[in-house]
Amino acid sequence: MTTMTSEEIRRGLAENARAPYGAARNVHAETLGAAAEATGDRQLFRAALVCQIEAYEYSAERTKMVVPFARLLQEYDRDPGSFASHEVHRLFWRFKWVAGRIVESPEIPLTAVDGWLTDMERRYRLAGYSERAVRQAEFHLADAIGDEARTERAITGWAAADRDAMSDCHACEINTQGWYWARKGDDAKAIEVWQPVLADGMSCMEEPHRVLAHALLPLARLGRTDEARSYHLRGYRMARGKESLLRSVGEHIEFCALTGNESRGLEILAEHAAHLGPLADVESQMEFSGGVLVLLRRLTDLGHGDRPTVSYAGAHRTARELYELLYGEATDIAARFDARNGTSLVSQRLVDRIARRPVTDALPLGVRSVRLAPAAVPAPRPGQDAGVQDDRAARGAAPAPAEPDFPALLAHARTARQQGHPSADRLWAEVAELAAAGGEATTDADPVLAADLLAHRAVLAAQAEDPKAADLYVEAASAYRAAGHLGRAAHAELGVAGCAARHGAEPEEIRALLAAATEAARELEDTDPERTRRLLAAELATLRIGTHLSERAADEAAPPSGTAHLGAALARLVAEHGDEPAARTAGAGGIADLIADSEVTLARLALEEHDLDRADILLASAAGRLIAADQPWDAVEPLTLRASVLAAHGDLAAAESEARAALGHAVESTDGAEQAGVRLTLADILLRQGRDGAQEAVLHALDATHWLDQAGLEATAGARARLLLARAYAAAERTAEAAEVLQSALPDLLEQGEPEGVQAREMLGGLLRELHDPHAAAEQYLLAAETAKGWDEPGFEAGLAHSAGEALAAARLTREAEAAYERSLELWRRAGGNPTAEVRLLRSLAWLAVEDGSTDDGPVRARALMEQAASVVDGSDEPALRYEQAQTWQQLARLLQDTLPEHEDEDEHEVEVEDEGSGMGEAVATTSSEARAIREQVVTLLDRAAGLYATLGTGALTERFQCLAYAAWTEEELGRAEDAVVRMTACVAELGSYEGPEAAELTARAQGVLHALT
């Protein structure tokens, strides 16, 4: 092994301090510690021990810190005087960490633990520290062994003692205190105690991460599900991938398991599967595994015990297999703690946790998760005590359900079908189930029922795109005719034609089937109440399907005119039948829904021609017609579409009113896409109104994602809904939640097409920048730029490259940022017509040149770039470009000022200058000729910028004041105090001539500068 020099060790310690926490950092710290000890340099050895302790504390090996800390304590006891004051403080501060770690180490006897606490108390008392930290450490021990009396004494003493330099950060203390009340079963009190941390008022390395995780189930149990959802999205993002927060990760998994989000829990488990094995910190292992066990038990209860989960111990495991392995390991750890503590408390707490029941059936989280496949019959969960009966059995068998009233159910189903009510399919499913249970006798006694059941099967098959649907409709039509229900037979024949069209039959066959359906409707008696409806339905179907066939057969050289023909024909039908009494009624003889459907189609055609006014009139008529006919569920579509039209017109108040009306009428709808559509429309309208509507928009968009997920559309419409949800979260300034939702939907959005993928990546990049993650933000911008590379308009790629440059600069990746800026600059120049972007890029490159310390010519290059930027917009009459010109001069002035040496050189000297006003002399520093020349240039540049800002009026008042004040101080540095005073006196007078709060504030600031100068 090569011996490291002291300098190499110091460099290694500095590098390790910047490394990510985890096993690699721990190993490096151990290597450096051994090397430092070998040098015989006691101070270096102490630094290496501190490096080890720090690395362990924020990893999954935190209990290993006891050994290096004991050695550090020995060093102190051997020679306290060799420790600097900051080293002593660091030693005592880490004593608290060790006090917690020994409690979490089952191999350390209780007598030794008590000995450590006694020594800590003695040392703190001798050093003059409060006993607050000591009582906090004692609280953890008392709670671990279940000594309630000692726990109460410790927490009381902790609260009573003064906070001092050894007290934990307030956020960490609040974490533990709230956790104490949660342990006692008082969820409301726990949330109250945690509130300062939950409200983002306090933070540290591991807060609010831990409190957000602790609060999840208490909030869910209190019914505060919106907060629980929010804290899960925020908190998991903070805890993800951090070894020291595995307990918190386990709590997030448990929360998902108990709120109907088992698939989300599985995804989190997969992200942390590498940490499932044995850990040095066995308590963290047990707590993390405890959350996982709750999930695996829940999956097994739901019948997913054979579902594959993650690889563990060299093999892929099902939920049941993984449960058995982790259960054995966790209970073994709990038994070790109990053996040390002389109780069974830890084992009992673990068993109680695993047995927790769901707090809600389903809490939509908004993030994309893979749906669980339909489950088999739930099997007994693994590890379940054979002597413990299922909860349902323990409560006693449920009473036998009452015998269903089949005739009433059948009448209800027929009425719902006649009205077009959304419940019709469900009711017919119940009828079919009961009829099947009754056998052939049921259908033999009622031949119409047999036809109805065939029609129901045909509808289901058609909805499933099953080719057998046509044959079922044929059978249904025949059965209806045999039973004397010719109107229903005509309807079934129309179903046959529709199936043929959907499955690509030959046009001649489809037209023949449509003609047969029309003839069947025409043969109905004039007195038959269904005749008008059947005839109109057949005519509408013939029109629509005929248009489709015409377009399919149209020659490419001759654009199809079928759409225009359809529009004219529908308009004629609406004009002919729209005022008939039947057009205002529902049921067998009513045609209100058919006329309204025609009006909606006409409205959509009008929208294709950008005729918003005509679309608005048609949609209002359709919605009013359906509501008047007592079919409000069918009014949801025209109301939702009209809300979008009104929003496009800019009438957001009316748009919101229509969207809310649609939402109210959707209460009976069972169509997931429709339920989602109205909610997304309302959310979008609320977002257009600004931040005030963002919070409500979040709720509607969240509901929409849930409806789409339930409808199996999570990868398509659900992804677009999540994009809107992310926008709503961002508008409500809930950035972490927006990022979490958008990241979960990103893979699906990338499948929607390049424009959608670029939009999603660009938005995600912006969110990540707000979350102070510039590396990840730059990655998204660059990936989006690569996607946009081949587009006809280079401006998209240029803008994305510019954003990537800003993110890379924030990440201090100077070379990469420079490359991104230059790429954007080249693209904008190629595209032309965007001098604003060009000048801003040149300024950004100038600042990078200053920050780049790798060469000596940085300031020279920076100035050249600034002057190049000024030339791009020089002499422009456009106000926006004059503003950019002023910004360039102002930034160049600041850049030059920043290039001045921190200390004036040896040419500087002090001279006595007589103060004419008071007769007193004062020392004024005069600078070297070079520094003085730079300051003269600064004043000139600031005057140029201020002059340009003056031409922009009150819109650039703040910037003008900044230039004048900066110039005044620079003049004062040049020894021209009188000029500075004159300048600021004029500035005060100028600002005082303007009205408004901004001018008043700037006047006060200018007066402050003037006062300081005089």
Side-chain angles (χ1 to χ4, degrees), residues 266 269 276 292-293 296 305 309-313 315 317-328 382:
L266 281 171
L269 170 60
L276 278 177
V292 176
L293 286 166
L296 298 173
T309 56
V310 297
S311 180
Y312 182 63
R317 305 293 179 177
T318 65
R320 183 178 290 102
E321 291 169 343
L322 186 59
Y323 182 100
E324 292 169 351
L325 290 168
L326 295 183
Y327 186 85

Side-chain angles (χ1 to χ4, degrees), residues 179-237:
W179 171 79
Y180 164 74
W181 289 106
R183 174 86 90 193
K184 289 172 71 72
D186 194 338
D187 290 334
K189 179 67 175 178
I191 297 300
E192 179 186 346
V193 172
W194 283 326
Q195 194 55 44
V197 179
L198 294 173
D200 281 340
M202 300 177 180
S203 63
C204 69
M205 278 283 289
E206 294 187 338
E207 296 299 350
H209 318 45
R210 295 182 299 175
V211 168
L212 289 169
H214 290 334
L216 295 174
L217 286 177
L219 283 168
R221 286 192 291 261
L222 291 169
R224 295 164 62 174
T225 51
D226 287 342
E227 293 165 90
R229 176 193 303 112
S230 173
Y231 296 157
H232 168 66
L233 295 178
R234 282 175 50 205
Y236 178 61
R237 186 173 192 83

Side-chain angles (χ1 to χ4, degrees), residues 20 32 41 229 235 329 443 453 519 612 656 698 785 944 955 978 1005:
L32 292 169
D41 184 334
R229 176 193 303 112
E329 292 172 0
T443 52
L453 293 176
E519 185 60 30
L612 298 182
E656 181 183 345
V698 165
R944 284 188 201 171
E978 289 185 3
R1005 289 170 61 186

Side-chain angles (χ1 to χ4, degrees), residues 266-535:
L266 281 171
E267 290 169 5
I268 297 175
L269 170 60
E271 290 181 344
H272 296 85
H275 298 296
L276 278 177
L279 303 176
D281 181 355
V282 294
E283 185 173 67
S284 283
Q285 178 186 347
M286 179 180 67
E287 293 293 332
F288 174 51
S289 295
V292 176
L293 286 166
V294 175
L295 171 66
L296 298 173
R297 187 269 305 161
R298 181 66 184 147
L299 287 168
T300 305
D301 283 356
L302 292 173
H304 295 287
D306 293 328
R307 178 190 174 89
T309 56
V310 297
S311 180
Y312 182 63
H316 288 284
R317 305 293 179 177
T318 65
R320 183 178 290 102
E321 291 169 343
L322 186 59
Y323 182 100
E324 292 169 351
L325 290 168
L326 295 183
Y327 186 85
E329 292 172 0
T331 52
D332 177 64
I333 294 171
R336 289 163 59 191
F337 275 106
D338 286 340
R340 193 270 306 264
N341 298 341
T343 71
S344 60
L345 182 64
V346 177
S347 294
Q348 188 58 52
R349 285 175 175 171
L350 176 63
V351 169
D352 290 346
R353 180 185 186 185
I354 297 171
R356 284 175 180 164
R357 309 305 299 169
V359 293
T360 182
D361 290 337
L363 171 59
L365 298 177
V367 290
R368 165 79 152 94
S369 291
V370 178
R371 287 188 301 157
L372 294 176
V377 177
R381 63 175 177 268
Q384 184 177 3
D385 190 332
V388 179
Q389 295 183 351
D390 183 88
D391 290 345
R392 290 165 294 178
R395 289 194 298 268
E403 193 68 28
D405 186 344
F406 185 78
L409 175 63
L410 180 59
H412 190 187
R414 284 171 172 162
T415 301
R417 182 181 63 191
Q418 193 176 50
Q419 294 175 333
H421 195 278
S423 65
D425 284 350
R426 174 182 59 80
L427 291 169
W428 278 109
E430 293 179 20
V431 168
E433 183 179 353
L434 290 175
E440 294 183 4
T442 306
T443 52
D444 288 345
D446 188 348
V448 179
L449 174 58
D452 285 336
L453 293 176
L454 281 168
H456 171 64
R457 289 172 57 199
V459 168
L460 294 180
Q463 291 171 348
E465 299 292 332
D466 187 343
K468 295 178 181 177
D471 293 337
L472 289 168
Y473 272 123
V474 170
E475 290 184 53
S478 176
Y480 277 128
R481 281 197 202 90
H485 278 243
L486 301 183
R488 294 297 305 166
H491 178 70
E493 292 205 23
L494 201 56
V496 177
C499 288
R502 276 194 298 274
H503 291 284
E506 290 298 320
E508 294 77 9
E509 179 187 352
I510 297 170
R511 290 191 175 97
L513 291 170
L514 287 169
T518 303
E519 185 60 30
R522 192 175 289 117
E523 288 175 354
L524 295 175
E525 297 289 339
D526 290 343
T527 56
D528 192 324
E530 291 192 38
R531 189 173 192 276
T532 301
R533 179 176 179 81
R534 297 304 169 206
L535 281 170

